[in-house]
């Protein structure tokens, strides 16, 4: 069966050796930021460039203990697989963020509802040039 080019659900989510289950949401941001330049008589930018990007990721899980066990400042590789909607071979998207630093973990739970926790991660480059966020098809 051909890949659908549609993703549904997450699998194999982990930060280092910590497997994260009961995942209800994962998001990745390339962290793009643009700087514009104008001078002299310019009324509009004459140059717009991406001088710095700050990739990030967040995970929401109902396994609150697993996420709350990750201390801010902890560094590890973060990975998550966004599954092909029909489970087709070659349709999964596997994301990896090298040098993923735990920024924070928030948790909450309302009366009579399942609790959740949200893990926030920021990625840094080992050499200042290589993007810590990558993805492949599997």
């Amino acid at each position: 069966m051909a890949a659908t080019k549609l993703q549904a659900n997450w699998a194999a989510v982990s930060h280092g050796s910590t497997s994260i289950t009961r995942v209800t949401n994962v998001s990745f941001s390339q962290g793009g930021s643009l700087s514009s330049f104008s001078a002299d008589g310019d009324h509009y930018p004459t140059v717009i460039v991406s001088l710095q990007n700050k990739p990030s990721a967040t995970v929401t899980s109902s396994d609150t203990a697993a996420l709350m066990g990750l201390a801010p400042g902890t560094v590890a590789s973060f990975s998550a697989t966004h599954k092909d909607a029909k489970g087709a071979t070659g349709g999964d998207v596997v994301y990896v963020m090298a040098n993923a630093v735990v920024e924070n973990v928030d948790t909450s739970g309302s009366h009579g509802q399942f609790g959740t926790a949200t893990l926030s991660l920021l990625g840094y480059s080992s050499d200042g040039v290589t993007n810590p966020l990558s993805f492949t098809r599997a």
Side-chain angles (χ1 to χ4, degrees):
M1 162 180 11
T4 64
K5 297 184 182 180
L6 299 169
Q7 274 38 69
N9 300 323
W10 293 91
V13 179
S14 65
H15 184 258
S17 62
T18 302
S19 179
I20 303 170
T21 60
R22 305 239 183 243
V23 174
T24 56
N25 188 62
V26 178
S27 64
F28 289 94
S29 172
Q30 293 185 29
S33 178
L34 299 176
S35 297
S36 61
F37 174 83
S38 60
D40 305 326
D42 295 343
H43 290 277
Y44 302 96
T46 55
V47 176
I48 298 177
V49 295
S50 175
L51 293 176
Q52 190 170 81
N53 301 301
K54 296 179 182 176
S56 64
T58 61
V59 181
T60 302
S61 168
S62 290
D63 186 356
T64 60
L67 294 188
M68 291 302 289
L70 296 169
T74 303
V75 181
S77 180
F78 174 71
S79 61
T81 300
H82 209 176
K83 301 297 291 176
D84 181 84
K86 288 189 172 183
T89 302
D92 294 351
V93 180
V94 180
Y95 294 91
V96 176
M97 181 182 283
N99 304 317
V101 183
V102 174
E103 179 180 32
N104 196 29
V105 181
D106 295 303
T107 189
S108 65
S110 298
H111 173 75
Q113 302 294 318
F114 296 112
T116 62
T118 300
L119 167 68
S120 301
L121 300 159
L122 297 175
Y124 69 87
S125 173
S126 295
D127 60 8
V129 178
T130 305
N131 189 341
L133 179 60
S134 62
F135 73 92
T136 56
R137 287 270 191 191

